[in-house]
Amino acid sequence: MKKLMLIFTIICICFTVNVYAEEDVIIRVGLYYGSSAKDSVEINVDGQITTYYPDDIDGQVDIVPEEFVKVNTSQYRGSIRLIRNAENKINVINVVDIEEYLASVISKEMSPYFEEEALKAQAVASRTYAMAHLNKHKNDGFDVCQNIHCQVYGGISMENPKTTKAVDDTKGQVIKYDGQLISAVYSASSGGYTESAVNVWGNDIPYLQAVSDECEEEDVFGHKWTYELTVSKATEIMESKGYEIGTVTDIVINETTERGVVTKMTVKGTKGEKVFNKESCRGVFPNHTISQAFTVTPVGENNTIYTTSGVANKNQIYILSAEGISKSLLDSVAFLDKSGVHSVPKTNYTKFVFEGRGYGHLVGMSQNGANGMAKQGYDYIQILTHYYQGTEID
C-alpha cells in the first residue's frame, strides 16, 4: 500500500494555493465529505487497486497517477487527495485543472446538445462561479463540491466533445462587474422572465436584476407547469419538516412581485400556521413548486354556489374595498337574496393546484433561454451580458 502513496511536498504546496493568473488554475473538488465521507475508499491508480482506511492516512495523502485515477468506479483527471477528518472518516477530493473540471461540469449542468454559443455562455458562467467560490468548503479541505450546492461534476465520464470545445474556446474568460468576479448563478428555465436576487435571497445585487427571457422556447421543460398536492401529502410534508400546524387547511399567497414571484406565503393548519418568505416559499413543497413563480388554487367538494350571473367558486371569492381587490380569507361566504342574508361555510379542501413558470430560482442566466438566444443568432457574450446586466467578459 505504501508504494501507492505518492506524496510530493512540492505538488502538495501547489495544490493548496489557488492563484488566478496566467498559469493554469487548480481547483479542489469535494467528491465525498460530511455525511458522504467514507469509512473506506477504493482507489485505482494506473490499474493498481488499493483500499484506503482512515488509519492509513496521517493527515492527508495525495495520489498522483501517471495515466489515470479512479475512485470506486468513477475516473477523474488530475489527482486524488484523501483527508482523514475529525469524525475519523475520509474526505475524498479531486485536485484538477479548472478547465478540465469545467468540461465535465458543462455536460452535467447543460445539455451538450444545446447550441454552441449557449454552451460557451455556460462555460464562462461556470468558470466564473467556480473562481468566485474558491475555498467555499475550506473547512473540509476543498474549494467546491460535486453536487448542486456548488456545480454538478461527474469526472471524465461526463465529458463531451462539444462541451470540451466550449471550454477551450472560452479558456480563462470570466464575467466581472466593476472589475470583480460576479456570482454567476443560473437556473434551467424562467418561463419568460428572470427574477431579481433581492426577491429570492434578500440581497439587492446590481447585475442580478429581472430581465425579459422572451427567447426561451415554450416547449422546454419547466417553461409552464401544473402540479397537484393533496391535503394529506401537504400535511405529511409539513410534519416532516417539523412544522406542527396540524392538518393543512389552506395555502395562501400573501405577497408577489409584479412578475408573479411569490415572496410571502402562509400555510394554515388545524393547530396553527407557518409563514414563509422569499426562497422558502419555493422550498417548502419543492416537488410541487419547482420555481418561485406560481399561483395556488385550493380544491374541495361542493365548492360552488349558483348566482344569476353564473357559477362561483366559494374558495375563490375576492373583495373590492377602498384598498383594492383582495382574496377573501373568511371561513364562510355570505350573500343576499330576496329572502335575506345567507351564510354558506367553505368546505374543507382536498387538494391544492399549483400553476407556475420556470424551473429553479429564476435568478441570473436561464439555460433554456440562453439556448433560445443562441438559436436566434446571439453570441455567448451577448447572452451573458443580457442576463448579467452591466457586466463585461474579461
Side-chain angles (χ1 to χ4, degrees):
M1 176 184 297
K2 301 302 180 184
K3 291 188 292 184
L4 291 177
M5 295 184 183
L6 307 179
I7 308 172
F8 298 99
T9 303
I10 295 176
I11 291 175
C12 290
I13 293 173
C14 293
F15 285 162
T16 54
V17 178
N18 289 299
V19 181
Y20 190 55
E22 293 183 359
E23 304 102 32
D24 291 339
V25 177
I26 300 301
I27 190 166
R28 301 165 299 167
V29 186
L31 305 179
Y32 302 100
Y33 69 101
S35 61
S36 69
K38 296 295 185 180
D39 293 314
S40 64
V41 59
E42 182 180 276
I43 307 292
N44 183 332
V45 183
D46 301 326
Q48 189 169 353
I49 300 174
T50 302
T51 300
Y52 289 86
Y53 298 90
D55 289 345
D56 298 322
I57 302 167
D58 184 12
Q60 73 178 41
V61 170
D62 285 300
I63 303 170
V64 185
E66 292 184 3
E67 297 181 6
F68 69 88
V69 60
K70 286 184 177 181
V71 178
N72 296 329
T73 59
S74 298
Q75 187 171 341
Y76 298 92
R77 299 191 187 279
S79 62
I80 294 297
R81 173 171 296 172
L82 306 179
I83 297 177
R84 185 170 66 183
N85 63 29
E87 287 71 42
N88 200 37
K89 292 190 175 183
I90 303 173
N91 291 352
V92 184
I93 300 161
N94 182 202
V95 185
V96 63
D97 183 283
I98 194 170
E99 304 298 322
E100 295 176 334
Y101 157 78
L102 289 170
S104 175
V105 165
I106 309 309
S107 288
K108 294 288 283 186
E109 292 286 358
M110 177 180 275
S111 169
Y113 303 105
F114 273 18
E115 297 292 310
E116 182 176 339
E117 294 301 309
L119 291 170
K120 288 159 72 173
Q122 182 68 57
V124 177
S126 288
R127 184 182 295 110
T128 305
Y129 183 91
M131 290 302 307
H133 292 85
L134 293 179
N135 281 319
K136 185 175 182 179
H137 289 270
K138 65 179 180 180
N139 291 338
D140 288 305
F142 57 91
D143 297 308
V144 296
C145 64
Q146 69 165 348
N147 53 47
I148 59 173
H149 179 258
C150 294
Q151 296 187 109
V152 183
Y153 170 69
I156 292 176
S157 65
M158 291 297 105
E159 294 176 6
N160 181 282
K162 288 188 67 177
T163 61
T164 300
K165 184 178 186 301
V167 172
D168 291 342
D169 288 347
T170 63
K171 184 174 181 179
Q173 294 183 359
V174 292
I175 314 167
K176 291 185 177 181
Y177 182 87
D178 267 353
Q180 301 297 316
L181 290 168
I182 73 167
S183 181
V185 294
Y186 50 86
S187 59
S189 63
S190 74
Y193 228 100
T194 69
E195 189 52 69
S196 300
V198 67
N199 294 322
V200 178
W201 300 311
N203 299 320
D204 192 6
I205 301 173
Y207 55 82
L208 293 179
Q209 302 297 318
V211 298
S212 173
D213 201 19
E214 58 189 21
C215 292
E216 182 176 288
E217 297 174 331
E218 294 185 1
D219 62 349
V220 301
F221 178 77
H223 185 79
K224 293 289 188 294
W225 46 266
T226 300
Y227 292 99
E228 293 186 356
L229 176 66
T230 64
V231 165
S232 60
K233 185 63 177 179
T235 302
E236 177 187 326
I237 292 171
M238 293 296 285
E239 290 176 349
S240 71
K241 295 177 182 289
Y243 303 129
E244 299 178 358
I245 65 169
T247 300
V248 172
T249 58
D250 201 0
I251 301 174
V252 179
I253 293 176
N254 307 108
E255 296 175 3
T256 67
T257 69
E258 59 186 87
R259 292 163 296 278
V261 167
V262 180
T263 55
K264 185 177 180 180
M265 181 179 78
T266 302
V267 181
K268 298 185 175 183
T270 54
K271 297 181 181 179
E273 63 182 39
K274 174 65 179 177
V275 178
F276 299 91
N277 295 286
K278 299 191 184 318
E279 190 178 27
S280 63
C281 297
R282 170 172 69 104
V284 63
F285 303 118
N287 294 328
H288 301 83
T289 53
I290 61 174
S291 85
Q292 204 171 315
F294 61 87
T295 61
V296 57
T297 302
V299 177
E301 298 177 356
N302 301 319
N303 280 341
T304 56
I305 56 176
Y306 297 90
T307 72
T308 55
S309 59
V311 177
N313 186 329
K314 290 187 293 184
N315 298 317
Q316 294 292 303
I317 300 297
Y318 291 82
I319 298 172
L320 175 61
S321 68
E323 297 179 352
I325 299 174
S326 60
K327 183 178 178 181
S328 171
L329 302 180
L330 301 175
D331 293 327
S332 63
V333 178
F335 63 92
L336 175 67
D337 64 15
K338 63 181 181 180
S339 61
V341 177
H342 302 270
S343 181
V344 180
K346 290 184 179 179
T347 57
N348 293 331
Y349 300 138
T350 58
K351 64 181 178 180
F352 304 93
V353 179
F354 296 93
E355 295 180 273
R357 61 170 177 84
Y359 183 23
H361 50 63
L362 307 181
V363 181
M365 185 176 72
S366 159
Q367 293 168 306
N368 278 296
N371 196 46
M373 289 185 69
K375 287 182 178 181
Q376 294 193 23
Y378 292 94
D379 65 31
Y380 73 100
I381 293 178
Q382 292 172 310
I383 292 170
L384 292 170
T385 53
H386 170 70
Y387 289 109
Y388 307 109
Q389 295 280 299
T391 62
E392 59 182 17
I393 312 305
D394 186 7

